[in-house]
Structures are given as C-alpha cells and as structure tokens.
Amino acid sequence: MAITSSAKKALRASKKKRVFNLRSKAAIDLPLKKFKKLISEKKAKEAAALIPALYKALDKAAKKNIIKANNASRHKSRIMAALKKLG
C-alpha cells in the first residue's frame, strides 16, 4: 500500500492510465480476432473491410506508446500477408 502522498498520487494516476491502455488494447484485439475469424472462414471481402479500422487502432496505439511502433508495423504486415494469401 502507498504510504507517501506522492506514491498515493502515482497510484491514482496509474489506475486512470490503466483504463485508457486497456481500452486501446481492446480496440486492437477485438477487430483483430474478428479479422482472423473471417480469414479462417475464407471471407476475403469482409476481412478487407476491417483493415481500415485495424490500421487506425494500431496507429493510434503506437502513437500513444501503448504498443511499440515496430509491433504495430509487424501486425499490419501480417494482416496484409494473410489477406493476400487468401486471394
């Protein structure tokens, strides 16, 4: 448990930041799961329609340092590779 006042303030701040970080990660994970499901079902058009939302979420998370820039780039690359492999 935090004892000093600065430690208490840091704890409050980290709780607030945690909510935003989880929300940003969910903005990536939920469409990504949907995309992977569509790819496994071989629905290319529906999967292609999700790409702009995925790119936006990945770029926003990278900009806010929730994920690293190379991590976002790797995800985008793999998304496009999966879609191209599907045809």
Side-chain angles (χ1 to χ4, degrees):
M1 187 64 203
I3 296 170
T4 62
S5 61
S6 61
K8 289 177 184 176
K9 183 178 180 180
L11 188 63
R12 287 194 307 270
S14 70
K15 284 181 182 178
K16 289 178 186 174
K17 288 177 187 175
R18 182 175 187 273
V19 173
F20 286 103
N21 291 341
L22 289 174
R23 195 178 299 155
S24 294
K25 286 181 182 179
I28 296 169
D29 291 340
L30 296 175
L32 194 59
K33 284 180 185 178
K34 195 181 289 186
F35 178 82
K36 287 179 181 177
K37 185 178 179 187
L38 289 170
I39 290 292
S40 67
E41 294 172 355
K42 303 201 185 308
K43 296 182 179 177
K45 287 192 178 186
E46 291 91 342
L50 277 178
I51 288 179
L54 275 166
Y55 271 39
K56 182 178 179 182
L58 287 166
D59 288 337
K60 258 189 178 178
K63 184 179 179 183
K64 293 179 183 177
N65 290 324
I66 292 164
I67 60 172
K68 294 189 176 181
N70 286 345
N71 187 339
S73 296
R74 186 176 65 246
H75 273 81
K76 292 194 287 189
S77 173
R78 289 180 182 174
I79 287 167
M80 287 310 295
L83 191 64
K84 285 183 181 178
K85 187 177 178 184
L86 192 60

